Amino acid sequence: MDHTEQEARRAWFRREILPLEAELRGYIRRLTHDPVAAEDLLHDTFARIIAAESWREVDSPAGFAIRTARNVVYDSLRRQKVVAIDYVADVGVFGLADDTADPETALVARDELKRLRAIVEALPTQQRRVFTLRKVYGLPPGEIAERLGLSVSTVEKHLVKAVRACADALARDDLPPPKRSPWAWRRQSEKR
Amino acid sequence: MATAERETVREAAASWAVRLSDPHLTDETRAAFEAWRAASPAHEAAFERERAVWDRFDRLRALRPAAPEPDPDLLAPRPVAQPAMRWAAAVVGAVALSGIGLWSVNASPAYATAVGERRLVVLEDGTRVELNTDSKIVVRYRAGKREVKLVRGEALFEVAPDAARPFVVAARDRRVEAGAAAFNVRVQPRAVQVIVARGQVEVADTTPFGAVEDEARLAAGVMGLYGEAGGVAQPVTGARIDQALAWRHGQIALNGQTLEAAVEEFNRYSKDRQLVVADPAIGGYRLGGYFRVDDMAGFVRALQTTFPVKATAEDKTIYLSAAG
């Protein structure tokens, strides 16, 4: 495969697959009911999708992504020698189609800035300062290092930790509304 | 991919996203990145994800003020007054509720569920009790003590804080005492099971010569089992707790349990039909999956399509045995 072909495949992945992250996470969680395992399986699902040579023939990226996720989950269950006989969970496949046409997109976009800001505010102090200078002011790592009296590699480490924390925070927020009773204590206890 | 490995890959991917955005990027770094990305689809996909997050935060530029000097503390957490307000409201609520409570000082109200039923009870102090199938509690609140007896079945308690009156659940010969905690108590045929979801509880043996439990204080995330011979407690994962509490959503969670154990679970919720494992050869099959508590028929169907098992209905009993 030549370079442009590779880039076309990655662009497809960015455009069609990455926006499905929250739905895929929700789907895998409904199958496994284990948030940590779900992140592992989501990671594997993305790896399997981006490697798909036949991506041009995919009619429905959402359907393709869901099928891939299901295969990844079932393969993992087989490895663990636990036989999944859960047919109820497949209901989740139909839930996805409804989710894609989202009338609240505009509302979400308006709240995006507020939400990103809240995530940054919650970062540990040094990560937050470095990240602010990089993202709000667009300063390069070298200049941030000078201003804060740090080495460039320390600045990079803070940035990497900050991105990972931000990704995890977005993942938590992006969860489809949980089908829970009114008590929210479980999620609170996980945050501590 | 295992969790630790996944995190390593994601961190490496984030690191590349950070370094590739540096205007002083060198050709060597670029080449090292290409080699890393080409090494596996997991790398390639992880990089796309982390870079999407990295780019997403470019929106923060909209927050850049006109002042020329960059302020690293521009996004420092802002003090919020709200929590104090919430506390005030909660205290007012508690006072109002305890006023109502005075009317029923000598009463010991009981709450129960039928087989297959679930019920949420909010007690006078705001403590919430969720009762599972075929369960019963008797509430005895008095000065200095809040006591609830779990007569049978299973209940989840979310205790309203009250420093002056400890909250105690009596279940068979054990007492479970808690401050502000959320915990599940289940009376089983030969033991009492306690799972702590939040806060901590203390378990005491109330028999005349009851031993001091080895693991009497249970923290959040710990499951304890207490029988005649004493108690054992062990930490469990959040996922395991969710599974144990799946009943709150009307579900039975199976994660490697034997067919024998699964059948016992389904029978708890069913008043007109009971499952019987008629053939010990199949009792040891291990199952995974989520089912509705009221869908015994669906469970049996799924069982028959997955395992060499046949089901024979006779009157109100469904016998499970090896097929062929």
Side-chain angles (χ1 to χ4, degrees):
Chain A
M1 260 193 284
D2 69 5
H3 184 71
T4 48
E5 173 65 16
Q6 299 240 34
E7 261 317 307
R9 179 173 50 82
R10 288 182 198 123
W12 168 81
F13 180 82
R14 275 194 290 277
R15 190 180 62 244
E16 303 289 348
I17 304 298
L18 277 188
L20 299 170
E21 177 164 336
E23 283 85 355
L24 284 173
R25 176 179 288 112
Y27 174 71
I28 294 174
R29 279 195 176 198
R30 282 198 290 277
L31 285 178
T32 62
H33 287 260
D34 179 342
V36 177
E39 289 306 315
D40 291 340
L41 295 165
L42 181 63
H43 179 81
D44 292 349
T45 300
F46 279 132
R48 210 179 274 195
I49 294 173
I50 205 171
E53 308 240 331
S54 59
W55 62 273
R56 281 188 197 279
E57 281 109 70
V58 172
D59 286 333
S60 154
F64 175 67
I66 284 290
R67 280 196 302 281
T68 309
R70 181 167 39 190
N71 290 340
V72 165
V73 171
Y74 284 5
D75 285 354
S76 126
L77 287 172
R78 263 197 292 281
R79 274 199 302 279
Q80 294 166 29
K81 300 202 166 58
V82 172
V83 182
I85 51 173
D86 189 349
Y87 66 100
V88 180
D90 277 356
V91 172
V93 180
F94 305 107
L96 187 83
D98 302 338
D99 292 348
T100 46
D102 180 9
E104 288 171 9
T105 310
L107 195 71
V108 170
R110 214 173 44 195
D111 286 343
E112 166 88 348
L113 190 59
K114 217 194 229 171
R115 182 176 165 204
L116 297 178
R117 179 186 182 130
I119 290 173
V120 175
E121 283 179 355
L123 290 174
T125 310
Q126 205 63 329
Q127 282 177 35
R128 189 196 74 229
R129 289 164 59 93
V130 170
F131 198 72
T132 300
L133 291 178
R134 185 80 191 87
K135 282 298 177 188
V136 180
Y137 294 97
L139 299 184
E143 198 182 328
I144 297 171
E146 262 174 49
R147 277 176 183 272
L148 300 181
L150 303 168
S151 71
V152 175
S153 84
T154 303
V155 167
E156 280 180 351
K157 278 188 193 116
H158 283 314
L159 288 173
V160 170
K161 286 218 171 70
V163 187
R164 289 294 305 113
C166 289
D168 288 345
L170 286 169
R172 274 196 297 277
D173 289 2
D174 275 342
L175 278 186
K179 285 178 286 180
R180 290 189 183 283
S181 69
W183 312 3
W185 51 262
R186 179 77 212 126
R187 281 193 69 184
Q188 281 165 7
S189 67
E190 274 167 357
K191 275 183 193 158
R192 277 182 298 133
Chain B
M1 188 175 285
T3 303
E5 197 184 342
R6 182 242 306 164
E7 191 47 45
T8 306
V9 171
R10 291 198 69 176
E11 198 164 314
S15 166
W16 286 119
V18 167
R19 291 161 77 182
L20 258 54
S21 75
D22 189 333
H24 304 299
L25 174 69
T26 62
D27 289 345
E28 290 82 53
T29 309
R30 177 95 220 169
F33 162 70
E34 295 290 351
W36 176 84
R37 177 166 65 173
S40 98
H43 291 185
E44 189 179 22
F47 173 73
E48 293 297 340
R49 284 177 80 189
E50 299 308 313
R51 194 176 56 181
V53 172
W54 176 252
D55 289 349
R56 191 164 167 182
F57 279 82
D58 282 341
R59 277 199 70 139
L60 291 177
R61 286 188 189 219
L63 298 175
R64 185 177 178 166
E69 190 57 18
D71 172 14
D73 288 313
L74 182 75
L75 301 184
R78 293 157 291 183
V80 254
Q82 263 168 349
M85 291 294 292
R86 263 202 295 271
W87 270 111
V91 170
V92 171
V95 170
L97 281 167
S98 56
I100 296 164
L102 289 175
W103 292 101
S104 55
V105 151
N106 294 315
S108 289
Y111 304 90
T113 49
V115 171
E117 193 191 2
R118 272 180 296 140
R119 183 173 174 190
L120 171 66
V121 180
V122 180
L123 303 179
E124 63 188 46
D125 62 335
T127 291
R128 303 164 68 99
V129 185
E130 202 170 345
L131 293 172
N132 196 3
T133 176
D134 193 18
S135 303
K136 182 180 179 184
I137 56 168
V138 178
V139 180
R140 290 196 206 97
Y141 275 19
R142 47 185 183 269
K145 192 182 261 179
R146 296 176 288 171
E147 192 175 282
V148 173
K149 186 172 170 63
L150 179 61
V151 179
R152 65 167 184 275
E154 178 172 21
L156 180 78
F157 300 88
E158 194 184 26
V159 181
D162 180 349
R165 286 195 303 171
F167 185 90
V168 175
V169 173
R172 211 175 276 144
D173 53 7
R174 292 301 200 280
R175 287 164 48 87
V176 184
E177 185 168 329
F183 60 101
N184 188 75
V185 182
R186 175 170 171 185
V187 176
Q188 293 176 334
R190 276 183 297 277
V192 174
Q193 184 207 55
V194 180
I195 300 173
V196 185
R198 179 163 58 69
Q200 60 172 11
V201 306
E202 271 182 57
V203 181
D205 192 334
T206 58
T207 49
F209 303 102
V212 176
E213 310 282 6
D214 288 341
E215 315 240 6
R217 185 182 292 256
L218 307 189
V222 173
M223 179 188 291
L225 205 55
Y226 301 92
E228 269 176 36
V232 285
Q234 61 178 38
V236 291
T237 63
R240 180 70 193 82
I241 290 180
D242 279 348
Q243 283 160 356
L245 301 184
W247 62 266
R248 295 175 53 219
H249 316 296
Q251 293 183 313
I252 291 173
L254 302 174
N255 182 20
Q257 276 93 333
T258 59
L259 175 57
E260 201 87 54
V263 158
E264 254 175 56
E265 264 317 278
F266 276 98
N267 285 343
R268 277 176 82 196
Y269 297 93
S270 171
K271 52 173 174 290
D272 25 81
R273 298 208 136 187
Q274 292 285 295
L275 291 169
V276 171
V277 179
D279 189 344
I282 64 169
Y285 286 144
R286 293 193 174 270
L287 320 178
Y290 272 66
F291 293 87
R292 294 175 49 87
V293 295
D294 58 0
D295 192 16
M296 184 183 269
F299 172 70
V300 171
R301 261 200 314 278
L303 205 56
Q304 286 174 290
T305 54
T306 316
F307 293 103
V309 165
K310 73 167 190 278
T312 323
E314 214 172 278
D315 200 13
K316 289 185 167 187
T317 308
I318 300 172
Y319 295 95
L320 301 171
S321 55

